[in-house]
Amino acid sequence: LRRFRPRPCSRGAAASPRRARARVSRARRVRVAFGREVRAFGRIRTRATPLRMRVDEGVDAVARPRASEDAVAARRALEASAASMDSREDALENGVRASTRVIETCAAHYTAWAHRWACARALASRLDAREVLRAEAAFAARATASHAKNYQAWNHARRATEAMLEMGVMTEEDWSRAYAVVEAALGVDGKNIHAWSHRAWLASRSDARDREEAYTRAMIEDDALNNSAWNARFHIVERELELGDVGVL
């Protein structure tokens, strides 16, 4: 760092000592997220620090990140359930429980969500479809309350709602609950794109012009710079124009 010499500026005049000291100070303040920093005449080099991994024994050994014993047991139970994919009712319920344990440790675990839906869909075709699918919608609602920007949770909620529509078991109460979940998420973050996308999908599957017009108006009045609310309102107008209602303008 002592050998650092400021370069002249573009106009040919020498750079000020203050600027030179500022550049050196910035170099000193650099912090590397992973690894140990090594300085050499103003340049920063990193020495990599290996991650701690656990290597399973066997022919098909896989290096896995370290996790708690409960998390490891939950994932192994999920893997066993997914590998067998038993069609018995108790096996499907065990699959739902195994998925729940994994999702509780990792809310964005794609495989756990996919396996849970496969088991729930199979159970809905055997048991009371409305009760099974309503339970899945409630589970997804709890997940979005804790992780409002979790794509898997919103997708699970959409799957449950779509399945209820296909099976003809969707009621007004279920519609109200679905909209309430979205409004709760948007009440915390009015620009949550996942919640707005889900609301747009709900609106596309129901006759909700008046509801959406009033809701987007209220959200815009609350925050005129809410681009998500403006975008949702634009799509409402666009849809009405496609249906021939020029009065919406």
Side-chain angles (χ1 to χ4, degrees):
L1 290 177
R2 293 179 181 176
R3 298 176 60 182
F4 176 83
R5 293 182 179 179
R7 291 180 297 178
C9 62
S10 58
R11 295 183 179 181
S16 66
R18 177 180 294 181
R19 289 186 180 179
R21 288 195 298 270
R23 282 198 293 267
V24 174
S25 178
R26 284 196 297 270
R28 286 173 177 168
R29 290 199 302 267
V30 171
R31 292 294 179 268
V32 182
F34 299 98
R36 188 176 64 185
E37 71 178 26
V38 180
R39 295 187 181 87
F41 302 107
R43 294 180 299 172
I44 303 299
R45 298 181 304 186
T46 61
R47 182 175 298 170
T49 301
L51 296 175
R52 294 184 177 182
M53 310 290 281
R54 179 179 61 80
V55 181
D56 293 343
E57 298 180 356
V59 178
D60 300 324
V62 178
R64 301 173 182 266
R66 279 193 170 184
S68 65
E69 294 182 0
D70 292 340
V72 172
R75 292 176 186 177
R76 286 180 176 173
L78 174 66
E79 292 169 0
S81 177
S84 63
M85 203 54 193
D86 197 332
S87 59
R88 295 177 303 168
E89 183 177 320
D90 58 339
L92 295 173
E93 292 176 348
N94 287 334
V96 171
R97 285 191 290 270
S99 303
T100 302
R101 291 176 60 195
V102 174
I103 292 170
E104 288 174 350
T105 61
C106 179
H109 199 289
Y110 176 83
T111 304
W113 282 104
H115 184 62
R116 182 187 180 91
W117 176 246
C119 294
R121 181 74 178 183
L123 287 171
S125 63
R126 300 183 180 192
L127 304 177
D128 187 338
R130 184 167 181 266
E131 292 301 320
V132 172
L133 296 174
R134 175 180 278 188
E136 292 306 305
F139 180 81
R142 291 192 296 273
T144 57
S146 303
H147 305 84
K149 295 186 178 180
N150 184 345
Y151 169 80
Q152 282 79 11
W154 288 109
N155 185 60
H156 197 78
R158 179 181 299 190
R159 281 177 160 179
T161 304
E162 194 165 27
M164 283 193 282
L165 289 171
E166 291 176 356
M167 296 182 177
V169 296
M170 190 78 174
T171 64
E172 288 299 325
E173 182 182 0
D174 296 320
W175 280 114
S176 298
R177 290 183 177 181
Y179 275 103
V181 170
V182 179
E183 291 175 7
L186 292 177
V188 177
D189 180 4
K191 299 180 181 180
N192 185 340
I193 188 60
H194 299 281
W196 278 110
S197 298
H198 188 68
R199 187 180 184 95
W201 180 83
L202 290 174
S204 69
R205 300 303 302 268
S206 62
D207 185 11
R209 171 187 169 181
D210 294 338
R211 179 204 293 264
E212 294 307 292
E213 194 276 337
Y215 186 77
T216 53
R217 180 184 296 274
M219 293 294 286
I220 291 171
E221 289 177 353
D222 182 65
D223 181 6
L225 300 180
N226 189 337
N227 294 332
S228 299
W230 281 108
N231 185 61
R233 191 172 183 85
F234 170 79
H235 283 293
I236 295 170
V237 174
E238 186 179 44
R239 183 183 179 190
E240 294 301 321
L241 289 175
E242 291 176 352
L243 297 176
D245 184 5
V246 295
V248 72
L249 296 176

